[in-house]
Amino acid sequence: MQFRDLHAQYEALKPEIDAGIARVIDSTAFILGKPVGELEEKLAAYAGRKHCVCVANGTEALQLSLMAMDVGPGDAVFTSDFTYFASAGCASIIGATPVLVDIDLATFNMSPAALERAIKKTIADGKLRPRVIIPVDLFGLPADYPEIEKIAQKYGLAILEDAAQGFGGRIGGRIACSFGDMSATSFFPAKPLGCYGDGGAIFTDDACVDARLRSLRASGKSPEDKYDNREIGMNSRLDTLQAAILLPKLKAFAEYELDAVNRAAARYTAALKEKVVTPTVPDGCLSSWAQYTILLESREKRDAVQKALREKGIPTMVYYPRGLHQQAAYKAMALRDEDYPNTVEATRRVLSLPIHPYLKEDEQDGVINSLLEVLA
Ligand SMILES: *Cc1c(COP(=O)(O)O)cnc(C)c1O
């Protein structure tokens, strides 16, 4: 069994994917060819945003978004402590300062109460200008935007949604990549919507921001004259081949994959909820299940369960073994475990089970039965 079986998806979509790749090779428009524009339109429509700009990866989608907000040295960017490094690294790399926020253990997402405490402390310290909140839709579940929006408004901060794991998630009628002022997602192969290499996208409703992003992803060129650069940008474009691969994948995602992965998650939860802490999906929310993550009672138990499952041929992962406040890159900030109790707790107890839209019911049962045996 594979943790995320990308080959099963390829088998299902092979004719369309192969034909798309062949058309790109035939056209030789390898960079920003027609399929990229077509994908941008379809992604914007899916998310209900006015504009989408495809870029080279999710990390640069976040970085370019901050650049388009003119964030830089002296600015504070608030993000979750329990996430992939890029959620904070995108701020550091442009000279801004990430301010890490503890999570809610039930959802693994940024705690709105901890966020407000971090903002107040930053204001009281008086060293940084609070500018942007980057909530992360961890494991596929949208962050608590209704609460985070109130806080953003109260303190005059922008919101940049890190939807790298969140594509397809919902809160009521609102969908991931539509929350906040801007949203960034990733098409890394194992994400809910993945390509066959690196890729990412940025979403905005603002036509000026859209135009600025199109310039920033092409070294800051001016729209009129590509050899006249109006500002310092990056080379961060999505390959046409990746767009051609993503077009049929987006269709499958919308038509049936999101439903299929939710059926798998529901079967896991029904079978496991009496024995372990299963993921919480708050009322009215939908997860796209980038990960299905349970909590065991301790680090020792988690490590033992992972080892026993491995021996039964069931692959699992620990997302994440460290909080960002514990990363060597942030050692100079001298952040303390006692300020991040829920992150620390999560790093000790989490275990992610195999999940993807093509995981068959008998494979799901294999995971469930193996885990129940190991626990008993
Ligand atoms: C994967 C990921 C990113 C970065 O995306 P890449 O395409 O790998 O650069 C950013 N934030 C989160 C939460 C992620 O999971």
Side-chain angles (χ1 to χ4, degrees), residues 56-60 62 83-87 136-138 162-165 185-188 191 198-200 320:
N57 55 66
T59 302
E60 291 178 1
L62 289 165
T83 174
Y84 178 65
F85 186 73
S87 308
V136 181
D137 303 339
L138 203 76
D162 181 347
Q165 299 181 17
T185 196
S186 163
F187 304 128
F188 181 81
K191 305 283 161 121
D198 277 310
Y320 293 91

Side-chain angles (χ1 to χ4, degrees), residues 51-252:
H51 308 279
C52 170
V53 180
C54 284
V55 298
N57 55 66
T59 302
E60 291 178 1
L62 289 165
Q63 182 185 336
L64 287 160
S65 300
L66 292 179
M67 288 165 76
M69 291 175 171
D70 294 306
V71 171
D75 291 336
V77 175
F78 300 86
T79 193
S80 175
D81 183 42
F82 188 62
T83 174
Y84 178 65
F85 186 73
S87 308
C90 65
S92 308
I93 204 151
I94 55 170
T97 303
V99 177
L100 304 172
V101 176
D102 201 16
I103 56 165
D104 279 333
L105 203 50
T107 61
F108 302 116
N109 279 333
M110 173 188 277
S111 152
L115 170 63
E116 186 158 18
R117 280 199 299 276
I119 295 169
K120 282 183 170 158
K121 183 167 183 301
T122 302
I123 294 170
D125 289 349
K127 294 198 190 85
L128 298 168
R129 263 187 316 274
R131 286 289 309 278
V132 184
I133 305 165
I134 306 184
V136 181
D137 303 339
L138 203 76
F139 302 154
L141 180 70
D144 188 352
Y145 292 97
E147 287 306 313
I148 292 169
E149 281 162 356
K150 285 183 209 156
I151 296 168
Q153 195 147 32
K154 183 167 166 190
Y155 295 95
L157 306 181
I159 296 177
L160 165 59
E161 175 188 12
D162 181 347
Q165 299 181 17
F167 195 81
R170 280 163 212 265
I171 303 177
R174 302 176 66 193
I175 186 163
C177 296
S178 77
F179 297 108
D181 301 273
M182 297 175 78
S183 309
T185 196
S186 163
F187 304 128
F188 181 81
K191 305 283 161 121
L193 179 65
C195 61
Y196 287 172
D198 277 310
I202 306 166
F203 297 79
T204 173
D205 289 320
D206 185 325
C208 295
V209 172
D210 173 69
R212 180 132 182 239
L213 289 168
R214 286 175 197 283
S215 164
L216 282 170
R217 77 173 169 185
S219 299
K221 70 166 186 187
S222 71
E224 301 80 31
D225 178 352
K226 77 170 184 173
Y227 295 110
D228 182 20
N229 284 57
R230 61 179 182 188
E231 65 176 316
I232 312 293
M234 300 172 69
N235 175 10
S236 186
R237 299 167 302 204
L238 183 73
D239 287 346
T240 314
L241 279 169
Q242 300 303 343
I245 289 158
L246 282 163
L247 280 164
K249 283 203 178 202
L250 174 60
K251 189 160 170 278

